[in-house]
Amino acid sequence: MSNMEHDRWSRVKGRLRTSVGEDVYSSWFARMDLEAIQQESVHLSVPTRFLKSWIQTHYSDKVLTCWQAEIPEVNRIEVTVRSPMRAATPAAKDAAAPAEHRREEQRAAPELRSTNATAPAASNHDALGGSPLDPRLTFASFVVGRSNTLAHAAAKQVAEGRRGDPVMFNPLYIHSGVGLGKTHLLQAVTWAGNSGTERKVLYLTAEKFMYGFVAALKTQTSLAFKEALRGIDVLVIDDLQFLQGKTTQAEFCHTLNALIDAGRQVVVAADRPPSDLESLDERVRSRLAGGLVVEMATLGEDLRLGILKSRVVAARAHHASFDVPQPVLEYLARTITHNGRDLEGAINRLLAHSKLNNQPVTLEMAEHEVRDLIRPQEPKRIKIEDIQRVVARQYNVSRSDLLSSRRTANVVRPRQVAMYLAKTLTLRSLPEIGRRFGGRDHTTVLHAVRKIEGLVSKDTTLNDEVESLKRQLQE
Ligand code: ADP
Ligand code: MG
């Protein structure tokens, strides 16, 4: 793409974003690429057939208008599906690589997770076929910890239900941040439900649900589609936050009501609680909130360690010589705090690295391989009491000395240092700090802050003391 085309494309995307709003833009257009501009037509590409179809049915006019504002002669927009395969990385030769590659795909397209890459194109037109399931996502591989006990128990209960059993909580609504195990749990319900009992469990992403309707409406079979949907015992819908559009929502609402009223189980996952699904109709929201709503919290360190271990065990099934020493597992569990997908990615990398280089996994290798998965720690919230305590200890005075009205040099300086640290390390205001230092005026605090600021640049001893105090507080 030339620079000029690149700029044009950026401007068109900007217009599109303004015209449809941030949410819609990021759901549907974030992965749209410009392929070519040819006189009167513009060629765009998207990664899935679903996106293509959705954009063509709902947004083709908008996209065209945004292009015409840039190049008035354009009168046609062509959207094609680009191949999901990227250039193979060196690691792709290893058995661990496909998973790694898929992980990156998933990262890049959270909204397409279940419909792309793994979905054979042929199944796309089979609107009722359900979204592809990952055979690894079962109850057996799901690690239970404090943050997901309730969600796990509820999911298990749903999965073990029999046809005709009274439904205990309907719908079951599970929500959490990304990568905390929603899809895993939902697919586990689907596997378990379909294997153990005579019931029929259908797993659909919200997109698949919508795509089903788009396709079914086109082929005039929407009635059959709806009937088929209603014929199942458990409907599992993942990533509900992507359900969009008035018609789809109305259909979703009907389906939900019909299933629930018929005593069928509905299980839903989303990245937010029902009340925050802003684009959803109020009736749907309250229906969703009327069952059991369970939140899964962030993964605790124990749970992270458990997940890492289970991943290593799984990898060893194919790579018997692969091993990750306990200290490395502990290091990973301590430092990769954010989500389950990164934990999986870390193990995949260690596997790829140790296989390719034929080396055992060491702490050093792990530190190097996963450095980009480690997010900077949230800055620690420092309390004024901590500052007073640490300063008092360093200067060998008591905390009450710092708060007192004594003005001898041995307490004045530590007190000023403490106020300075309170101002620079917390978000407290000057008056608030004054209050916390024995009810002093904010001008006194300001004076102290300026005084120490001035001194640290000249007095290296004081500077060292202040730096050491900061370190102690930030540890
Ligand atoms: P979400 O759907 O909430 O974004 P996923 O279910 O896709 O998250 O989980 C992301 C990754 O983390 C998956 O590889 C999943 O297997 C793993 N994972 C998350 N929670 C657990 C858990 N409790 N036990 C085992 N694996 C987990
Ligand atoms: Mg998910």
Side-chain angles (χ1 to χ4, degrees):
M1 203 190 313
S2 70
N3 275 347
M4 189 174 80
E5 286 183 340
H6 184 271
D7 292 348
R8 288 186 145 160
W9 179 220
S10 302
R11 283 192 295 271
V12 170
K13 283 193 284 189
R15 280 187 206 108
L16 207 49
R17 184 181 257 127
T18 319
S19 140
V20 297
E22 189 60 45
D23 278 358
V24 170
Y25 182 86
S26 59
S27 297
W28 307 117
F29 299 108
R31 299 198 73 202
M32 184 150 103
D33 286 342
L34 172 63
E35 295 293 327
I37 305 176
Q38 291 147 341
Q39 285 122 27
E40 293 172 358
S41 81
V42 170
H43 179 184
L44 303 167
S45 72
V46 288
T48 64
R49 285 181 49 185
F50 167 71
L51 270 183
K52 174 187 162 183
S53 142
W54 191 259
I55 290 171
Q56 282 174 333
T57 16
H58 294 80
Y59 297 104
S60 53
D61 290 349
K62 280 233 161 67
V63 175
L64 182 61
T65 317
C66 292
W67 270 105
Q68 285 171 334
E70 184 68 32
I71 310 174
E73 303 83 64
V74 169
N75 59 21
R76 205 159 64 86
I77 302 290
E78 202 182 310
V79 183
T80 56
V81 181
R82 59 178 177 265
S83 144
M85 282 301 140
R86 306 236 176 101
T89 56
K93 292 189 202 82
D94 187 82
E100 172 68 21
H101 177 72
R102 201 170 53 78
R103 200 184 64 83
E104 277 177 17
E105 285 276 308
Q106 290 173 341
R107 259 236 186 117
E111 80 283 14
L112 300 172
R113 206 152 39 237
S114 310
T115 42
N116 72 358
T118 52
S123 78
N124 263 350
H125 65 260
D126 180 11
L128 252 193
S131 300
L133 295 174
D134 183 336
R136 296 172 310 166
L137 303 182
T138 62
F139 280 119
S141 62
F142 191 84
V143 185
V144 184
R146 203 155 37 115
S147 60
N148 60 24
T149 314
L150 185 57
H152 173 260
K156 199 83 193 191
Q157 170 97 22
V158 164
E160 287 166 358
R162 299 263 192 79
R163 178 170 282 169
D165 275 0
V167 175
M168 282 182 64
F169 16 79
N170 210 5
L172 167 61
Y173 186 109
I174 297 172
H175 67 99
S176 80
V178 67
L180 302 183
K182 298 182 294 296
T183 296
H184 191 141
L185 211 45
L186 260 51
Q187 296 208 2
V189 168
T190 314
W191 285 117
N194 280 333
S195 60
T197 62
E198 75 281 21
R199 295 191 310 168
K200 207 169 147 214
V201 185
L202 181 63
Y203 172 89
L204 293 173
T205 59
E207 289 180 306
K208 192 84 179 180
F209 184 85
M210 290 186 282
Y211 184 46
F213 276 104
V214 174
L217 286 173
K218 269 194 202 155
T219 54
Q220 309 291 309
T221 58
S222 64
L223 200 69
F225 176 74
K226 271 182 261 178
E227 282 311 309
L229 258 192
R230 286 173 191 156
I232 56 140
D233 298 287
V234 184
L235 176 64
V236 180
I237 298 201
D238 201 356
D239 283 328
L240 190 75
Q241 71 275 8
F242 293 121
L243 195 77
Q244 305 218 345
K246 276 261 174 289
T247 336
T248 321
Q249 283 190 26
E251 287 303 336
F252 177 70
C253 190
H254 286 147
T255 310
L256 196 64
N257 286 333
L259 286 167
I260 294 175
D261 295 344
R264 306 288 161 74
Q265 177 76 53
V266 176
V267 184
V268 167
D271 68 354
R272 61 199 84 171
S275 52
D276 290 357
L277 289 167
E278 285 111 9
S279 65
L280 275 195
D281 190 280
E282 175 54 35
R283 279 174 310 162
V284 185
R285 268 190 276 166
S286 62
R287 188 95 216 208
L288 288 171
L292 177 65
V293 178
V294 193
E295 177 173 11
M296 289 202 283
T298 47
L299 308 167
E301 192 168 327
D302 286 358
L303 188 51
R304 299 199 295 266
L305 191 59
I307 294 175
L308 287 164
K309 284 183 175 162
S310 84
R311 291 288 167 190
V312 174
V313 171
R316 287 179 65 126
H318 301 284
H319 309 275
S321 64
F322 179 60
D323 193 27
V324 183
Q326 181 72 12
V328 175
L329 290 172
E330 283 167 10
Y331 164 76
L332 296 175
R334 201 168 56 242
T335 48
I336 303 177
T337 53
H338 199 68
N339 86 42
R341 217 156 282 146
D342 289 348
L343 295 173
E344 186 187 6
I347 297 296
N348 285 340
R349 286 189 199 178
L350 294 184
L351 176 59
H353 192 90
S354 81
K355 285 269 149 187
L356 289 174
N357 301 321
N358 207 6
Q359 278 171 0
V361 173
T362 62
L363 196 54
E364 205 186 347
M365 176 208 285
E367 279 172 357
H368 186 259
E369 285 299 304
V370 306
R371 60 201 183 283
D372 61 308
L373 298 177
I374 299 168
R375 285 154 212 257
Q377 293 267 317
E378 288 269 300
K380 199 176 138 198
R381 290 269 289 274
I382 296 169
K383 298 202 202 86
I384 289 185
E385 292 85 83
D386 295 335
I387 294 175
Q388 292 168 342
R389 188 173 40 76
V390 172
V391 170
R393 191 178 56 202
Q394 167 123 350
Y395 291 101
N396 210 6
V397 294
S398 72
R399 190 168 158 251
S400 55
D401 284 336
L402 294 178
L403 308 193
S404 74
S405 52
R406 287 181 53 206
R407 302 188 47 80
T408 48
N410 68 328
V411 287
V412 167
R413 182 53 45 83
R415 185 186 290 136
Q416 288 176 331
V417 168
M419 288 195 229
Y420 164 80
L421 291 172
K423 184 64 200 147
T424 46
L425 299 180
T426 77
L427 294 173
R428 302 275 163 256
S429 65
L430 294 172
E432 170 73 15
I433 295 171
R435 266 196 301 284
R436 305 285 291 279
F437 277 81
R440 292 183 149 76
D441 191 71
H442 75 275
T443 52
T444 312
V445 183
L446 184 61
H447 174 73
V449 173
R450 295 213 168 122
K451 179 91 191 173
I452 301 301
E453 266 171 5
L455 285 176
V456 288
S457 55
K458 290 176 254 157
D459 180 340
T460 50
T461 316
L462 182 69
N463 187 42
D464 290 348
E465 285 168 5
V466 167
E467 287 308 312
S468 141
L469 285 165
K470 281 188 186 166
R471 267 198 307 279
Q472 293 175 50
L473 285 160
Q474 278 159 341
E475 248 159 29

PDB file of all heavy atoms in Angstrom, residues 322-346:
ATOM      1  N   PHE A 322       9.491 -33.255  28.132  1.00  0.00           N
ATOM      2  CA  PHE A 322       9.296 -31.858  28.542  1.00  0.00           C
ATOM      3  C   PHE A 322       9.035 -31.775  30.041  1.00  0.00           C
ATOM      4  O   PHE A 322       8.194 -32.484  30.577  1.00  0.00           O
ATOM      5  CB  PHE A 322       8.113 -31.273  27.764  1.00  0.00           C
ATOM      6  CG  PHE A 322       7.799 -29.842  28.106  1.00  0.00           C
ATOM      7  CD1 PHE A 322       8.745 -28.840  27.927  1.00  0.00           C
ATOM      8  CD2 PHE A 322       6.547 -29.491  28.590  1.00  0.00           C
ATOM      9  CE1 PHE A 322       8.441 -27.520  28.215  1.00  0.00           C
ATOM     10  CE2 PHE A 322       6.236 -28.171  28.892  1.00  0.00           C
ATOM     11  CZ  PHE A 322       7.187 -27.178  28.700  1.00  0.00           C
ATOM     12  N   ASP A 323       9.776 -30.889  30.691  1.00  0.00           N
ATOM     13  CA  ASP A 323       9.518 -30.711  32.118  1.00  0.00           C
ATOM     14  C   ASP A 323       9.808 -29.267  32.504  1.00  0.00           C
ATOM     15  O   ASP A 323      10.699 -28.634  31.949  1.00  0.00           O
ATOM     16  CB  ASP A 323      10.404 -31.655  32.936  1.00  0.00           C
ATOM     17  CG  ASP A 323       9.930 -31.702  34.387  1.00  0.00           C
ATOM     18  OD1 ASP A 323       8.725 -31.460  34.627  1.00  0.00           O
ATOM     19  OD2 ASP A 323      10.762 -31.958  35.262  1.00  0.00           O
ATOM     20  N   VAL A 324       9.013 -28.770  33.422  1.00  0.00           N
ATOM     21  CA  VAL A 324       9.242 -27.418  33.915  1.00  0.00           C
ATOM     22  C   VAL A 324       9.456 -27.509  35.425  1.00  0.00           C
ATOM     23  O   VAL A 324       8.543 -27.906  36.149  1.00  0.00           O
ATOM     24  CB  VAL A 324       8.047 -26.493  33.608  1.00  0.00           C
ATOM     25  CG1 VAL A 324       8.354 -25.070  34.063  1.00  0.00           C
ATOM     26  CG2 VAL A 324       7.723 -26.509  32.120  1.00  0.00           C
ATOM     27  N   PRO A 325      10.661 -27.173  35.870  1.00  0.00           N
ATOM     28  CA  PRO A 325      10.944 -27.301  37.301  1.00  0.00           C
ATOM     29  C   PRO A 325      10.031 -26.411  38.151  1.00  0.00           C
ATOM     30  O   PRO A 325       9.609 -25.344  37.704  1.00  0.00           O
ATOM     31  CB  PRO A 325      12.406 -26.832  37.419  1.00  0.00           C
ATOM     32  CG  PRO A 325      12.940 -26.772  36.042  1.00  0.00           C
ATOM     33  CD  PRO A 325      11.799 -26.657  35.103  1.00  0.00           C
ATOM     34  N   GLN A 326       9.777 -26.878  39.346  1.00  0.00           N
ATOM     35  CA  GLN A 326       8.889 -26.163  40.261  1.00  0.00           C
ATOM     36  C   GLN A 326       9.236 -24.661  40.417  1.00  0.00           C
ATOM     37  O   GLN A 326       8.332 -23.830  40.353  1.00  0.00           O
ATOM     38  CB  GLN A 326       8.905 -26.876  41.626  1.00  0.00           C
ATOM     39  CG  GLN A 326       8.007 -26.270  42.687  1.00  0.00           C
ATOM     40  CD  GLN A 326       6.519 -26.503  42.435  1.00  0.00           C
ATOM     41  OE1 GLN A 326       6.139 -27.317  41.581  1.00  0.00           O
ATOM     42  NE2 GLN A 326       5.685 -25.781  43.153  1.00  0.00           N
ATOM     43  N   PRO A 327      10.520 -24.309  40.615  1.00  0.00           N
ATOM     44  CA  PRO A 327      10.812 -22.875  40.783  1.00  0.00           C
ATOM     45  C   PRO A 327      10.391 -22.045  39.566  1.00  0.00           C
ATOM     46  O   PRO A 327       9.959 -20.902  39.712  1.00  0.00           O
ATOM     47  CB  PRO A 327      12.333 -22.828  40.948  1.00  0.00           C
ATOM     48  CG  PRO A 327      12.731 -24.187  41.355  1.00  0.00           C
ATOM     49  CD  PRO A 327      11.740 -25.135  40.773  1.00  0.00           C
ATOM     50  N   VAL A 328      10.488 -22.639  38.368  1.00  0.00           N
ATOM     51  CA  VAL A 328      10.068 -21.913  37.165  1.00  0.00           C
ATOM     52  C   VAL A 328       8.552 -21.737  37.170  1.00  0.00           C
ATOM     53  O   VAL A 328       8.032 -20.658  36.873  1.00  0.00           O
ATOM     54  CB  VAL A 328      10.530 -22.648  35.888  1.00  0.00           C
ATOM     55  CG1 VAL A 328       9.993 -21.955  34.644  1.00  0.00           C
ATOM     56  CG2 VAL A 328      12.042 -22.732  35.844  1.00  0.00           C
ATOM     57  N   LEU A 329       7.842 -22.808  37.546  1.00  0.00           N
ATOM     58  CA  LEU A 329       6.383 -22.710  37.618  1.00  0.00           C
ATOM     59  C   LEU A 329       5.982 -21.623  38.611  1.00  0.00           C
ATOM     60  O   LEU A 329       5.092 -20.810  38.354  1.00  0.00           O
ATOM     61  CB  LEU A 329       5.775 -24.050  38.063  1.00  0.00           C
ATOM     62  CG  LEU A 329       5.876 -25.175  37.037  1.00  0.00           C
ATOM     63  CD1 LEU A 329       5.416 -26.489  37.658  1.00  0.00           C
ATOM     64  CD2 LEU A 329       5.031 -24.853  35.811  1.00  0.00           C
ATOM     65  N   GLU A 330       6.677 -21.600  39.743  1.00  0.00           N
ATOM     66  CA  GLU A 330       6.345 -20.592  40.754  1.00  0.00           C
ATOM     67  C   GLU A 330       6.644 -19.187  40.259  1.00  0.00           C
ATOM     68  O   GLU A 330       5.883 -18.250  40.496  1.00  0.00           O
ATOM     69  CB  GLU A 330       7.101 -20.881  42.060  1.00  0.00           C
ATOM     70  CG  GLU A 330       6.453 -22.012  42.828  1.00  0.00           C
ATOM     71  CD  GLU A 330       7.323 -22.546  43.958  1.00  0.00           C
ATOM     72  OE1 GLU A 330       8.351 -21.917  44.267  1.00  0.00           O
ATOM     73  OE2 GLU A 330       6.953 -23.593  44.517  1.00  0.00           O
ATOM     74  N   TYR A 331       7.747 -19.082  39.555  1.00  0.00           N
ATOM     75  CA  TYR A 331       8.087 -17.776  38.987  1.00  0.00           C
ATOM     76  C   TYR A 331       6.994 -17.308  38.018  1.00  0.00           C
ATOM     77  O   TYR A 331       6.535 -16.171  38.060  1.00  0.00           O
ATOM     78  CB  TYR A 331       9.445 -17.855  38.281  1.00  0.00           C
ATOM     79  CG  TYR A 331       9.715 -16.711  37.344  1.00  0.00           C
ATOM     80  CD1 TYR A 331      10.065 -15.461  37.848  1.00  0.00           C
ATOM     81  CD2 TYR A 331       9.590 -16.869  35.963  1.00  0.00           C
ATOM     82  CE1 TYR A 331      10.284 -14.395  36.989  1.00  0.00           C
ATOM     83  CE2 TYR A 331       9.816 -15.811  35.106  1.00  0.00           C
ATOM     84  CZ  TYR A 331      10.158 -14.577  35.616  1.00  0.00           C
ATOM     85  OH  TYR A 331      10.365 -13.524  34.769  1.00  0.00           O
ATOM     86  N   LEU A 332       6.553 -18.224  37.138  1.00  0.00           N
ATOM     87  CA  LEU A 332       5.524 -17.859  36.159  1.00  0.00           C
ATOM     88  C   LEU A 332       4.220 -17.499  36.856  1.00  0.00           C
ATOM     89  O   LEU A 332       3.563 -16.521  36.515  1.00  0.00           O
ATOM     90  CB  LEU A 332       5.286 -19.011  35.175  1.00  0.00           C
ATOM     91  CG  LEU A 332       6.459 -19.404  34.277  1.00  0.00           C
ATOM     92  CD1 LEU A 332       6.100 -20.641  33.454  1.00  0.00           C
ATOM     93  CD2 LEU A 332       6.863 -18.257  33.355  1.00  0.00           C
ATOM     94  N   ALA A 333       3.849 -18.294  37.858  1.00  0.00           N
ATOM     95  CA  ALA A 333       2.582 -18.049  38.557  1.00  0.00           C
ATOM     96  C   ALA A 333       2.616 -16.708  39.281  1.00  0.00           C
ATOM     97  O   ALA A 333       1.609 -16.027  39.390  1.00  0.00           O
ATOM     98  CB  ALA A 333       2.306 -19.167  39.559  1.00  0.00           C
ATOM     99  N   ARG A 334       3.810 -16.344  39.733  1.00  0.00           N
ATOM    100  CA  ARG A 334       3.923 -15.084  40.477  1.00  0.00           C
ATOM    101  C   ARG A 334       3.902 -13.876  39.538  1.00  0.00           C
ATOM    102  O   ARG A 334       3.342 -12.842  39.855  1.00  0.00           O
ATOM    103  CB  ARG A 334       5.233 -15.107  41.269  1.00  0.00           C
ATOM    104  CG  ARG A 334       5.278 -14.150  42.440  1.00  0.00           C
ATOM    105  CD  ARG A 334       6.471 -14.434  43.333  1.00  0.00           C
ATOM    106  NE  ARG A 334       7.727 -14.397  42.606  1.00  0.00           N
ATOM    107  CZ  ARG A 334       8.549 -15.435  42.477  1.00  0.00           C
ATOM    108  NH1 ARG A 334       8.274 -16.590  43.051  1.00  0.00           N
ATOM    109  NH2 ARG A 334       9.670 -15.324  41.780  1.00  0.00           N
ATOM    110  N   THR A 335       4.500 -14.054  38.350  1.00  0.00           N
ATOM    111  CA  THR A 335       4.683 -12.871  37.514  1.00  0.00           C
ATOM    112  C   THR A 335       3.646 -12.706  36.404  1.00  0.00           C
ATOM    113  O   THR A 335       3.375 -11.585  35.992  1.00  0.00           O
ATOM    114  CB  THR A 335       6.083 -12.872  36.856  1.00  0.00           C
ATOM    115  OG1 THR A 335       6.299 -14.155  36.302  1.00  0.00           O
ATOM    116  CG2 THR A 335       7.158 -12.555  37.866  1.00  0.00           C
ATOM    117  N   ILE A 336       3.079 -13.807  35.922  1.00  0.00           N
ATOM    118  CA  ILE A 336       2.068 -13.657  34.873  1.00  0.00           C
ATOM    119  C   ILE A 336       0.720 -13.645  35.555  1.00  0.00           C
ATOM    120  O   ILE A 336       0.136 -14.677  35.843  1.00  0.00           O
ATOM    121  CB  ILE A 336       2.139 -14.800  33.845  1.00  0.00           C
ATOM    122  CG1 ILE A 336       3.539 -14.837  33.260  1.00  0.00           C
ATOM    123  CG2 ILE A 336       1.114 -14.604  32.748  1.00  0.00           C
ATOM    124  CD1 ILE A 336       3.744 -15.965  32.296  1.00  0.00           C
ATOM    125  N   THR A 337       0.248 -12.471  35.827  1.00  0.00           N
ATOM    126  CA  THR A 337      -0.909 -12.371  36.708  1.00  0.00           C
ATOM    127  C   THR A 337      -2.196 -12.154  35.945  1.00  0.00           C
ATOM    128  O   THR A 337      -3.265 -12.255  36.503  1.00  0.00           O
ATOM    129  CB  THR A 337      -0.723 -11.177  37.654  1.00  0.00           C
ATOM    130  OG1 THR A 337      -0.450 -10.022  36.855  1.00  0.00           O
ATOM    131  CG2 THR A 337       0.431 -11.420  38.596  1.00  0.00           C
ATOM    132  N   HIS A 338      -2.079 -11.831  34.677  1.00  0.00           N
ATOM    133  CA  HIS A 338      -3.251 -11.257  34.057  1.00  0.00           C
ATOM    134  C   HIS A 338      -4.308 -12.235  33.590  1.00  0.00           C
ATOM    135  O   HIS A 338      -5.455 -12.152  34.005  1.00  0.00           O
ATOM    136  CB  HIS A 338      -2.843 -10.341  32.922  1.00  0.00           C
ATOM    137  CG  HIS A 338      -3.928  -9.405  32.553  1.00  0.00           C
ATOM    138  ND1 HIS A 338      -4.327  -8.418  33.412  1.00  0.00           N
ATOM    139  CD2 HIS A 338      -4.733  -9.338  31.477  1.00  0.00           C
ATOM    140  CE1 HIS A 338      -5.326  -7.768  32.856  1.00  0.00           C
ATOM    141  NE2 HIS A 338      -5.592  -8.300  31.684  1.00  0.00           N
ATOM    142  N   ASN A 339      -3.956 -13.162  32.750  1.00  0.00           N
ATOM    143  CA  ASN A 339      -5.017 -14.068  32.316  1.00  0.00           C
ATOM    144  C   ASN A 339      -4.520 -15.437  31.887  1.00  0.00           C
ATOM    145  O   ASN A 339      -3.347 -15.664  31.651  1.00  0.00           O
ATOM    146  CB  ASN A 339      -5.931 -13.402  31.279  1.00  0.00           C
ATOM    147  CG  ASN A 339      -5.452 -13.509  29.858  1.00  0.00           C
ATOM    148  OD1 ASN A 339      -4.990 -14.561  29.441  1.00  0.00           O
ATOM    149  ND2 ASN A 339      -5.561 -12.440  29.114  1.00  0.00           N
ATOM    150  N   GLY A 340      -5.492 -16.359  31.835  1.00  0.00           N
ATOM    151  CA  GLY A 340      -5.195 -17.752  31.593  1.00  0.00           C
ATOM    152  C   GLY A 340      -4.534 -17.993  30.252  1.00  0.00           C
ATOM    153  O   GLY A 340      -3.752 -18.917  30.075  1.00  0.00           O
ATOM    154  N   ARG A 341      -4.860 -17.145  29.307  1.00  0.00           N
ATOM    155  CA  ARG A 341      -4.311 -17.313  27.972  1.00  0.00           C
ATOM    156  C   ARG A 341      -2.794 -17.072  27.994  1.00  0.00           C
ATOM    157  O   ARG A 341      -2.043 -17.749  27.297  1.00  0.00           O
ATOM    158  CB  ARG A 341      -4.987 -16.318  27.036  1.00  0.00           C
ATOM    159  CG  ARG A 341      -5.229 -16.875  25.683  1.00  0.00           C
ATOM    160  CD  ARG A 341      -6.351 -16.147  25.010  1.00  0.00           C
ATOM    161  NE  ARG A 341      -7.636 -16.587  25.499  1.00  0.00           N
ATOM    162  CZ  ARG A 341      -8.696 -15.814  25.625  1.00  0.00           C
ATOM    163  NH1 ARG A 341      -8.611 -14.549  25.342  1.00  0.00           N
ATOM    164  NH2 ARG A 341      -9.821 -16.309  26.055  1.00  0.00           N
ATOM    165  N   ASP A 342      -2.366 -16.126  28.786  1.00  0.00           N
ATOM    166  CA  ASP A 342      -0.929 -15.862  28.889  1.00  0.00           C
ATOM    167  C   ASP A 342      -0.202 -17.018  29.571  1.00  0.00           C
ATOM    168  O   ASP A 342       0.943 -17.322  29.251  1.00  0.00           O
ATOM    169  CB  ASP A 342      -0.662 -14.562  29.657  1.00  0.00           C
ATOM    170  CG  ASP A 342      -1.056 -13.343  28.832  1.00  0.00           C
ATOM    171  OD1 ASP A 342      -1.310 -13.513  27.622  1.00  0.00           O
ATOM    172  OD2 ASP A 342      -1.106 -12.241  29.393  1.00  0.00           O
ATOM    173  N   LEU A 343      -0.885 -17.669  30.514  1.00  0.00           N
ATOM    174  CA  LEU A 343      -0.270 -18.818  31.177  1.00  0.00           C
ATOM    175  C   LEU A 343      -0.056 -19.926  30.154  1.00  0.00           C
ATOM    176  O   LEU A 343       0.998 -20.552  30.076  1.00  0.00           O
ATOM    177  CB  LEU A 343      -1.166 -19.328  32.311  1.00  0.00           C
ATOM    178  CG  LEU A 343      -1.374 -18.372  33.497  1.00  0.00           C
ATOM    179  CD1 LEU A 343      -2.415 -18.933  34.440  1.00  0.00           C
ATOM    180  CD2 LEU A 343      -0.071 -18.127  34.240  1.00  0.00           C
ATOM    181  N   GLU A 344      -1.086 -20.152  29.345  1.00  0.00           N
ATOM    182  CA  GLU A 344      -0.998 -21.166  28.307  1.00  0.00           C
ATOM    183  C   GLU A 344       0.121 -20.812  27.325  1.00  0.00           C
ATOM    184  O   GLU A 344       0.944 -21.649  26.955  1.00  0.00           O
ATOM    185  CB  GLU A 344      -2.339 -21.239  27.565  1.00  0.00           C
ATOM    186  CG  GLU A 344      -2.416 -22.352  26.563  1.00  0.00           C
ATOM    187  CD  GLU A 344      -3.700 -22.295  25.735  1.00  0.00           C
ATOM    188  OE1 GLU A 344      -4.477 -21.326  25.872  1.00  0.00           O
ATOM    189  OE2 GLU A 344      -3.908 -23.235  24.953  1.00  0.00           O
ATOM    190  N   GLY A 345       0.159 -19.530  26.953  1.00  0.00           N
ATOM    191  CA  GLY A 345       1.182 -19.064  26.026  1.00  0.00           C
ATOM    192  C   GLY A 345       2.582 -19.272  26.580  1.00  0.00           C
ATOM    193  O   GLY A 345       3.499 -19.656  25.847  1.00  0.00           O
ATOM    194  N   ALA A 346       2.742 -19.033  27.866  1.00  0.00           N
ATOM    195  CA  ALA A 346       4.065 -19.170  28.481  1.00  0.00           C
ATOM    196  C   ALA A 346       4.538 -20.617  28.374  1.00  0.00           C
ATOM    197  O   ALA A 346       5.677 -20.883  27.977  1.00  0.00           O
ATOM    198  CB  ALA A 346       4.004 -18.736  29.941  1.00  0.00           C
TER     199      ALA A 346
END
